[in-house]
Amino acid sequence: MKLFQDIVFRLSKLAAYLSAAILIFMVCHILVEIVLRSFFDSSTFVLDEFVGYGVAAMTFLALGYSLEEGALIRVNILLIRTKGAVRRGLELVCVFSTLVLSSYVFYYFWRNWKRDWDRGAVSESIAEIPMWIPEGLVVLGIILFIIQLFAYFVRVATGGDMITSGGGEE
Amino acid sequence: MEAIVAGLVILLLIFFFLGVGTWVFAGLLLVSITGLMLLLDMSTHRVGVIAVKIIWRYASTWELAAIPMFVWMGEIIFRTDISDRLFRGLAPLVDMIPGRLLHTNVLGCTMFAAVSGSSAATTATVGKITTTELARRNYDTNLAIGSLAGAGSLGLLIPPSIVMIIYGILAEVSVARLFAAGVFPGLLVAGLYSAYIIARCMANPELSPKSSETMTFGQRLKGAVNLLPVIVLMFLVLGSIYSGLATPSEAAAVGATAAIILTLLMRQMTWAIFVESLMGAVKVSCMVCIILIAAAFLSTAMGYLHVPANIAKAIGTLNLSPIGLILILSVFYIVLGLFLDGISIVVMSLPITLPLILQAGFDPVWFGVYLVIMVELGQVTPPIGFNLFVLQGLTGHPIGRVAIAALPFFVLMCIAVGIVTLLPEIALWLPDFLFNKPT
């Protein structure tokens, strides 16, 4: 049980590291673009496309990790006023509905991915990126999020620790 | 009538899904999906296809990249001694004004806001130093905490600003114009705060005890050198935007890089700080971006249901004057601000309020500024106000105490909203001057 939780979190963390790598890549790409534009009157021509894929991939890949770290915000008016079994039950309802939602979204993302993979669809820019690559990263992120949610569901149901939300940023 | 019902059902769904405590992004998606299925009898298949299309389109919006990068920059500054230097630089300068070091809160936040996009980060970074320093010197606790709570929220108004980027993307307004529009209202709010502190401390000098140390002019100037890192970052970020070298999103990359280089030069950057700041940025921006993506889908769903158009029509029949409309919206936003965080407020209300505002003839850039101030108000109102949470964590005082300390600054911010509403030029002059009026 503990092992299962550990493995799942390690996977989520690995995906978050990938997100971090994408963030560094985006920063570098933008710097190159600025230098090319300002000093060489040129461009990589694919900045908005690549960085767009980057944001999508890094957001979805980091979902599981952010969930477990309590970074995803929620309105806790009710949560902070409930205790014990009621609180635990409420948490299970929240996790379960998010689980259903994620699986639903996953199914349709998967369909798109499969279609683009089968047809070998590429982006409309000069880079002609095969669409299955960025879409695949998003699908992977959703899969890991679902696994992390499932692990969390099991943990809450069996009396384990609940995530304490840090409240977020804004 | 049908539109009112649809609007009410959506509202109930929002209260239900968010109220039980689902994660905000999941709640917004659930509201949209159930709304479309229940009210428009759409099949699960059709909703799924629409959902994925919208989610993908917004998730791969490249302007969103500004969010992780500005957050990263803030995380780096938070973890190094730049904020400490900010205090050491400002303290000798403000020591001569009534209210003394209390002004380090206001000025520190104002300057830090110019390199940070978020108010929680601003409050936490500046407060980390000032709360202990002011308490140690026996400054009045209420003024110390209150001014920090109020000034911390300037992080949203003074560019760069994450909330403004979100507003710009959703309302399709130029982020560079929005950033420029926030400058003078931000300075206005800061000015009101400082004036209030001066007035209070002239009436009762005990609120800000005299320090025993006396300093020469040279020493003060020497201290001011500590402000350099923040000023350099400010100059690079804003300079790259307004020189035309970079778009606001690109400026975020410049800022993050500059922060890394600067902290390397100051021998502050370590591998551990680099990784921590990076992972912190990944977490926070994941939270912000996923909510933004979910909210984009909610807007689309509301559009399918004709909710915004119909509510706009209904309010149109009331024949409200523009000022009347703003008054009603202000009450609406203050109430929302009691319970919701800033990003949720912006993304949930915008599909309804933006058409109303445009119909009444307001400038969308001006409304962006107005909305950001309303969000700032929400940051300092209990039970849900992030600046209050941050200060509760920093000072250990209960949230009620912090909220009472922040109350005068809440009132000052309301006054600022009034001034900016009556004199919209305060917001609009700078963007018009920098980018010419849009035709």
Side-chain angles (χ1 to χ4, degrees):
Chain A
M1 179 60 200
K2 173 95 170 44
L3 184 72
F4 170 64
Q5 296 285 346
D6 279 352
I7 293 174
V8 172
F9 185 61
R10 223 168 265 181
L11 277 177
S12 295
K13 200 160 183 187
L14 209 62
Y17 280 130
L18 188 55
S19 280
I22 294 174
L23 174 55
I24 295 175
F25 164 78
M26 292 195 298
V27 171
C28 295
H29 190 166
I30 290 178
L31 291 180
V32 169
E33 178 75 23
I34 294 176
V35 170
L36 281 180
R37 188 176 51 214
S38 312
F39 301 107
F40 301 98
D41 208 13
S42 177
S43 168
T44 60
F45 298 108
V46 287
L47 178 72
D48 43 353
E49 185 187 350
F50 274 38
V51 171
Y53 297 152
V55 183
M58 79 171 276
T59 303
F60 282 91
L61 284 171
L63 269 178
Y65 176 72
S66 307
L67 173 85
E68 188 65 27
E69 292 271 297
L72 300 179
I73 55 168
R74 54 209 295 199
V75 178
N76 52 9
I77 301 175
L78 202 58
L79 297 180
I80 48 173
R81 283 179 177 71
T82 48
K83 276 198 193 92
V86 183
R87 172 75 178 79
R88 211 164 269 279
L90 211 55
E91 190 78 359
L92 286 177
V93 171
C94 293
V95 182
F96 184 72
S97 49
T98 311
L99 206 50
V100 172
L101 168 81
S102 313
S103 310
Y104 175 70
V105 173
F106 164 73
Y107 173 72
Y108 287 94
F109 258 109
W110 168 259
R111 271 182 79 240
N112 270 11
W113 180 84
K114 185 83 177 55
R115 193 192 55 208
D116 286 341
W117 168 267
D118 288 340
R119 294 185 189 164
V122 295
S123 66
E124 288 165 9
S125 70
I126 56 159
E128 298 196 341
I129 297 291
M131 288 308 290
W132 64 267
I133 298 176
E135 286 174 3
L137 288 172
V138 169
V139 171
L140 180 68
I142 301 177
I143 294 174
L144 289 171
F145 181 58
I146 290 174
I147 297 174
Q148 183 71 64
L149 271 174
F150 176 73
Y152 183 49
F153 187 85
V154 173
R155 197 169 80 213
V156 176
T158 54
D161 290 342
M162 279 190 275
I163 295 168
T164 44
S165 187
E169 184 73 3
E170 285 317 305
Chain B
M1 195 56 212
E2 238 171 79
I4 307 285
V5 174
L8 279 178
V9 170
I10 291 284
L11 208 61
L12 278 177
L13 285 173
I14 290 178
F15 277 123
F16 174 73
F17 280 119
L18 293 187
V20 295
T22 46
W23 290 273
V24 172
F25 87 93
L28 295 179
L29 287 176
L30 286 166
V31 170
S32 323
I33 292 169
T34 43
L36 286 177
M37 287 181 189
L38 284 179
L39 296 167
L40 284 184
D41 276 329
M42 280 193 187
S43 66
T44 40
H45 177 75
R46 183 147 177 240
V47 176
V49 170
I50 298 173
V52 164
K53 206 170 103 194
I54 304 287
I55 291 174
W56 174 251
R57 193 204 299 157
Y58 273 86
S60 55
T61 309
W62 87 280
E63 281 88 352
L64 275 182
I67 293 170
M69 292 169 193
F70 276 133
V71 174
W72 189 17
M73 182 178 164
E75 293 271 338
I76 293 170
I77 298 173
F78 178 74
R79 287 180 162 78
T80 55
D81 78 342
I82 293 185
S83 53
D84 185 43
R85 282 167 189 260
L86 194 59
F87 179 80
R88 276 185 282 148
L90 283 174
L93 296 181
V94 295
D95 202 38
M96 299 165 280
I97 314 169
R100 297 165 179 285
L101 297 189
L102 285 170
H103 295 283
T104 55
N105 273 341
V106 179
L107 279 175
C109 286
T110 308
M111 289 182 73
F112 190 76
V115 294
S116 157
S118 115
S119 83
T122 306
T123 313
T125 312
V126 175
K128 194 171 74 167
I129 310 297
T130 58
T131 44
T132 43
E133 292 289 331
L134 292 177
R136 196 166 62 85
R137 294 185 167 91
N138 291 321
Y139 277 77
D140 180 64
T141 320
N142 276 339
L143 265 182
I145 298 178
S147 59
L148 185 58
S153 65
L154 286 172
L156 303 180
L157 194 53
I158 294 180
S161 155
I162 289 172
V163 174
M164 278 188 179
I165 297 172
I166 291 172
Y167 175 83
I169 291 174
L170 291 177
E172 292 174 7
V173 176
S174 147
V175 175
R177 290 190 80 89
L178 280 171
F179 278 8
V183 174
F184 283 114
L187 294 178
L188 171 74
V189 174
L192 286 174
Y193 288 168
S194 276
Y196 173 75
I197 292 174
I198 292 175
R200 282 290 304 277
C201 292
M202 287 195 12
N204 182 3
E206 273 171 34
L207 295 176
S208 58
K210 241 181 149 65
S211 69
S212 48
E213 313 149 39
T214 46
M215 286 182 125
T216 63
F217 182 73
Q219 279 171 316
R220 288 180 206 276
L221 212 58
K222 228 178 204 166
V225 172
N226 283 311
L227 296 177
L228 221 53
V230 172
I231 292 175
V232 167
L233 287 176
M234 216 162 92
F235 182 78
L236 283 174
V237 170
L238 298 183
S240 63
I241 298 177
Y242 295 114
S243 64
L245 204 63
T247 64
S249 311
E250 292 170 350
V254 173
T257 314
I260 294 172
I261 296 175
L262 203 63
T263 46
L264 272 176
L265 290 177
M266 290 158 63
R267 297 179 186 283
Q268 283 279 314
M269 181 55 91
T270 61
W271 178 246
I273 288 181
F274 182 78
V275 174
E276 272 171 39
S277 63
L278 193 56
M279 295 310 275
V282 164
K283 267 190 297 193
V284 173
S285 79
C286 167
M287 178 272 288
V288 176
C289 291
I290 197 74
I291 292 179
L292 190 54
I293 294 162
F297 183 53
L298 179 67
S299 308
T300 313
M302 293 230 217
Y304 272 107
L305 294 165
H306 304 292
V307 173
N310 287 319
I311 290 187
K313 218 186 283 168
I315 294 205
T317 56
L318 293 178
N319 276 327
L320 283 172
S321 67
I323 295 293
L325 178 66
I326 288 293
L327 276 177
I328 289 186
L329 283 183
S330 302
V331 173
F332 169 72
Y333 276 118
I334 288 173
V335 172
L336 277 187
L338 295 178
F339 302 102
L340 292 175
D341 67 285
I343 295 171
S344 306
I345 292 175
V346 173
V347 299
M348 281 168 44
S349 68
L350 214 50
I352 293 179
T353 53
L354 188 66
L356 280 178
I357 281 295
L358 295 180
Q359 196 184 1
F362 285 101
D363 187 315
V365 172
W366 175 84
F367 185 62
V369 171
Y370 162 85
L371 190 57
V372 168
I373 306 180
M374 296 319 289
V375 166
E376 288 188 343
L377 285 171
Q379 303 277 336
V380 295
T381 49
I384 311 280
F386 278 110
N387 280 3
L388 301 182
F389 292 153
V390 172
L391 281 169
Q392 184 188 11
L394 276 177
T395 61
H397 291 295
I399 190 153
R401 172 80 198 278
V402 179
I404 289 171
L407 187 65
F409 296 89
F410 173 85
V411 174
L412 289 170
M413 234 186 291
C414 291
I415 294 172
V417 175
I419 297 175
V420 174
T421 305
L422 294 175
L423 295 168
E425 292 80 14
I426 296 175
L428 296 176
W429 178 81
L430 189 61
D432 285 346
F433 173 77
L434 286 172
F435 304 107
N436 301 321
K437 249 188 158 79
T439 43

